[in-house]
Amino acid sequence: MKNTLKISLKPNEKIYINGAVVRVDRKVSIEFLNDVQFLLENHVMQPEKASTPLRQLYFIAQIILMTPGAAEEARAMFRKSLSLLLANFTDDGILAGLKEIDRLVGEDQVYDALKAIRALYPIEAMILDSSAPRRPVQREAFAAAGAR
């Protein structure tokens, strides 16, 4: 983190900071003065919402950020899932995004990787909703990799 980062939270809002869950009881601002891994409550995906390949990848990446004790296992699952996605998507935008996401996670910039995954959701939705012939993501292979 090159600059300080200030975040405002509403009453009863949660923030996940380096694996700790913090809930504030009133409106507050937090200023991070050094590098920190955090996730705002409204960016936390619940398991039942991980209903597409990219949302499943997001869920795995958020585990890396939110649960440091399980980070290595989640990183292994992330690598497996990412390789399946790279092998099955054919859209150049998705492929370029996935390579950037791989780089970000490799450099431990998981928060930025989560933002990059969310940015790909509209492209994924068009691909999944399209009736045009495409090379489908093989959900069985994805599930076998433990991404569910």
Side-chain angles (χ1 to χ4, degrees), residues 28-41:
V28 298
S29 292
I30 298 173
E31 187 172 8
F32 296 115
L33 303 176
N34 62 347
D35 288 331
V36 63
Q37 295 284 331
F38 73 95
L39 190 59
L40 297 171
E41 180 177 18

Side-chain angles (χ1 to χ4, degrees), residues 7 15 21-22 26 29-31 39 45 54-55 60-61 63 66-67 73 81 83 89 92 96 99-100 115 120 140 142:
I7 297 175
I15 184 169
V21 181
V22 177
R26 62 186 67 96
S29 292
I30 298 173
E31 187 172 8
L39 190 59
M45 180 177 292
L54 286 179
R55 290 176 187 273
I60 295 166
I63 292 171
M66 292 174 60
T67 316
E73 184 178 335
S81 298
S83 67
F89 274 113
D92 290 338
K99 289 175 185 173
E100 175 66 7
K115 289 193 312 188
L120 295 177
E140 296 80 22
F142 198 71

